[in-house]
């Protein structure tokens, strides 16, 4: 077994007692993992690279690991008033937001987690979007669980952008304290010759305003392409779309392992390296 803590541990890394608290969490996780015969526990806190909180991670006896399982970078947008928000968008995004309004795109908000229709339609649009981009689609059950759990607690909403009765784009926003998260989204592509409606822009604009009304001060766009990635990267287009809404790019502190069984951990690492070598050799063989 290899345990995993996505986006955690969650604590105030700026507090004077952060290092002591993190060491206590690490000891507890290591003991629990050892009891279940796990090899290691991987942590991926949403802590910014280069921040003061990294000292707590370095002082907790953790092993820094290259690469992340979650997206390692995002964009954060400060949710100011409408005029200030719009001023922070690039000119193409401002045009798209206003054009969507002229195209009579309207956005509705759904908060009833007992209603399965919004999440089923959202998953369908995500499937369409992921297929175009070549991404692997998470199972529908993951979407249902998130909607039922977070929506029922008043911590999520699904927004739908429509023109007349046609669903053009849909997305889920998660609201947690002073931060909102752009979690799932999908959109319908216009048919050849059909006017562009800019529904995804209307959706994101409405999502930011809703989050601000609910008390959020920062909107997390969740994931963008790594720094320096070019058009060949799968997230390049998504990253450009999100960049248009302003904010700042943030790189997270990465992955950190609590090594529970050092011998098996080293063996697992060696096996992973060997698989990489074999893959590289196969790639160099003449066809």
């Amino acid at each position: 077994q290899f345990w995993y803590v996505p986006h955690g541990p969650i604590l105030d890394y700026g507090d004077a007692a952060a290092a002591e608290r993190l060491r206590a969490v690490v000891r507890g996780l290591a003991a629990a993992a050892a009891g279940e015969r796990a090899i290691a526990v991987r942590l991926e806190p949403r802590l910014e690279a280069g921040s003061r909180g990294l000292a707590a991670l370095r002082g907790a006896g953790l092993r820094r690991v290259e690469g992340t399982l979650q997206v390692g970078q995002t964009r954060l947008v400060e949710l100011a008033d409408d005029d200030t928000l719009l001023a922070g968008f690039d000119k193409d995004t401002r045009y798209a937001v206003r054009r969507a309004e002229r195209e009579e795109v309207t956005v509705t908000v759904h908060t009833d987690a007992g209603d399965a229709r919004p999440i089923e339609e959202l998953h369908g649009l995500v499937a369409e979007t992921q297929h175009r981009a070549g991404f692997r689609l998470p199972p529908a059950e993951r979407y249902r669980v998130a909607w039922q759990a977070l929506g029922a607690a008043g911590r999520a909403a699904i927004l739908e952008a429509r023109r007349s009765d046609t669903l053009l784009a849909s997305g889920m926003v998660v609201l947690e304290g002073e931060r909102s998260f752009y979690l799932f989204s999908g959109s319908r592509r216009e048919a050849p010759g059909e006017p562009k409606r800019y529904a995804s822009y209307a959706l994101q604009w409405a999502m930011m305003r809703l989050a601000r009304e609910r008390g959020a001060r920062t909107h997390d766009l969740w994931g963008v392409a790594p720094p320096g990635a070019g058009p060949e990267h799968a997230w390049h287009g998504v990253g450009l779309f999100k960049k248009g809404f302003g904010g700042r790019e943030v790189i997270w502190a990465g992955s950190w392992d609590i090594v529970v069984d050092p011998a098996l951990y080293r063996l697992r690492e060696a096996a992973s390296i060997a698989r990489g070598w074999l893959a590289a050799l196969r790639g160099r063989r003449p066809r």
Side-chain angles (χ1 to χ4, degrees):
Q1 295 185 71
F2 201 98
W3 287 13
Y4 176 48
V5 182
H7 303 308
I10 299 170
L11 66 124
D12 181 359
Y13 285 92
D15 191 277
E20 179 186 346
R21 291 168 183 162
L22 183 61
R23 285 193 295 270
V25 169
V26 167
R27 286 195 299 272
L29 279 170
E36 296 292 332
R37 302 177 65 84
I39 298 170
V41 183
R42 178 153 298 175
L43 312 179
E44 279 187 4
R46 282 177 88 79
L47 176 67
E48 292 187 35
S51 65
R52 289 174 55 194
L54 283 174
L57 289 172
R58 294 193 183 103
L62 304 172
R63 186 178 186 278
R64 180 74 167 84
V65 181
E66 290 300 320
T68 57
L69 297 174
Q70 300 291 318
V71 181
Q73 53 284 322
T74 189
R75 293 194 73 83
L76 300 180
V77 180
E78 298 306 313
L79 296 175
D81 60 84
D82 283 1
D83 289 342
T84 305
L85 259 180
L86 281 168
F89 297 174
D90 68 25
K91 61 181 180 61
D92 292 335
T93 301
R94 283 195 299 272
Y95 168 82
V97 167
R98 290 166 178 151
R99 178 64 182 273
E101 188 175 348
R102 293 199 298 273
E103 291 289 337
E104 299 180 338
V105 175
T106 59
V107 179
T108 55
V109 178
H110 302 273
T111 57
D112 180 6
D115 184 1
R117 184 205 56 77
I119 196 65
E120 299 299 337
E121 294 209 30
L122 169 57
H123 187 262
L125 277 183
V126 173
E128 188 177 325
T129 306
Q130 302 280 60
H131 179 72
R132 290 198 306 264
F135 295 160
R136 185 176 63 85
L137 177 68
E141 185 60 21
R142 181 182 298 180
Y143 285 58
R144 295 187 194 109
V145 167
W147 177 229
Q148 289 163 7
L150 297 171
R155 294 165 54 200
I158 293 177
L159 287 80
E160 295 180 336
R162 296 177 181 270
R163 188 176 187 273
S164 299
D165 293 329
T166 304
L167 179 62
L168 302 177
S170 180
M172 181 189 288
V173 60
V174 174
L175 304 152
E176 189 64 48
E178 294 187 344
R179 184 162 293 189
S180 56
F181 300 89
Y182 176 41
L183 190 58
F184 306 130
S185 71
S187 62
R188 172 182 168 270
R189 176 173 284 176
E190 292 86 357
E194 184 181 1
K196 191 170 177 62
R197 308 297 185 188
Y198 299 96
S200 293
Y201 292 88
L203 185 81
Q204 190 61 235
W205 172 233
M207 189 177 288
M208 288 181 176
R209 297 171 86 191
L210 172 71
R212 186 187 62 202
E213 289 168 11
R214 297 283 187 88
R217 298 177 63 181
T218 304
H219 187 55
D220 188 335
L221 290 168
W222 196 252
V224 296
E232 71 284 350
H233 196 280
W235 300 336
H236 180 72
V238 174
L240 288 179
F241 168 75
K242 293 179 179 180
K243 186 178 181 181
F245 289 94
R248 64 186 180 93
E249 186 172 282
V250 168
I251 300 172
W252 299 122
S255 297
W256 302 74
D257 282 355
I258 304 170
V259 178
V260 180
D261 187 324
L264 281 177
Y265 185 88
R266 287 193 296 270
L267 186 61
R268 183 180 184 274
E269 253 192 343
S272 178
I273 293 169
R275 283 195 297 271
W277 287 343
L278 286 171
L281 286 171
R282 290 192 192 102
R284 286 198 292 266
R285 285 176 184 167
R287 296 184 182 276

